[in-house]
Every structure is written in C-alpha cells, then in structure tokens.
Amino acid sequence: MAYTDNDICLGYAYASKYSYEKAYEKTVRLTIYMNPHHHQKGGSSKLYDYLEQALTDQGIIQMLASITASNLASLKFHKKSNFIEIARLEKLGFKMGEWHDEVLMRKQINPYKNF
C-alpha cells in the first residue's frame, strides 16, 4: 500500500511471508517506509492501520517488525502501535559502514488457534 499526496509517493507499507514453511503461514513480516520530511504527520499510522485490517481480514495471527535498534522513532512508533519487543539481535545488519543491532517486535491481531 502506498501513501500519496498529489500523486507523489510519500511512503509505503507491505507484508511478506515470514517463512515459506507451512508452520508459519499465519505470521507475516511488515515493512514500512516514510519520506523523512513526512514523519509525525500520521501517514505511517494510516498505512499500518489499513494493512493491519487487511491482514486481520485474511486470518493472519501475528505481524513481525524488524527495526534497527538505533532507530528510536521507529521503535517508539511500533510500541505506540502495540507491538512488543520479543528479541534483540546483536550486529545483525551492516549498513552505512557499521554493524547494527536489530530489534524484533510482534503484534498479535487475531486469536491463536489450532487448525
């Protein structure tokens, strides 16, 4: 899903399979990007709200988000959106010339059930 203004893409969000193994078919990994000039303007919340509703309607049970630990704004946003931290992985990603820790967060959107 894209967040636009006058046909200009200001941000986007999407869900992808967490794993291709059947055991994980009710879990998705979320990705979101917002143009830095449009943070704090509600676009991220609109994208996530729309995506969460679509995933809820599809029967997805939980959403995962992987966030660079130094991205405090994203961590705050996800906590505000009722994600909980479930893991912290040290030096998992290399970008901008250095290693970064990753925080894995989860949000349950449908009840757990046995199929």
Side-chain angles (χ1 to χ4, degrees):
M1 171 181 182
Y3 182 72
T4 61
D5 185 22
N6 292 325
D7 293 329
I8 297 172
C9 182
L10 304 177
Y12 60 86
Y14 63 89
S16 57
K17 291 183 178 195
Y18 173 71
S19 172
Y20 286 93
E21 295 180 32
K22 185 163 179 56
Y24 304 103
E25 68 183 3
K26 297 296 183 181
T27 301
V28 296
R29 181 181 298 264
L30 299 182
T31 299
I32 188 168
Y33 171 80
M34 282 299 294
N35 180 310
H37 300 294
H38 292 276
H39 287 185
Q40 304 294 321
K41 296 184 179 178
S44 297
S45 294
K46 288 178 184 176
L47 285 168
Y48 257 19
D49 290 348
Y50 180 88
L51 190 55
E52 182 177 328
Q53 186 59 56
L55 294 168
T56 299
D57 293 346
Q58 292 173 33
I60 296 299
I61 293 174
Q62 58 190 350
M63 306 183 300
L64 300 177
S66 299
I67 303 155
T68 303
S70 61
N71 188 342
L72 301 179
S74 185
L75 292 171
K76 182 179 177 182
F77 169 78
H78 283 85
K79 286 179 185 176
K80 181 181 167 195
S81 300
N82 298 314
F83 281 76
I84 58 169
E85 183 175 327
I86 58 171
R88 187 171 287 255
L89 306 164
E90 292 184 10
K91 295 180 174 54
L92 189 68
F94 187 82
K95 62 181 179 180
M96 296 180 278
E98 60 186 354
W99 287 97
H100 294 270
D101 294 352
E102 179 181 297
V103 175
L104 186 60
M105 301 184 82
R106 176 181 65 212
K107 181 175 183 180
Q108 181 182 339
I109 58 174
N110 271 314
Y112 291 104
K113 59 184 177 180
N114 295 328
F115 298 93

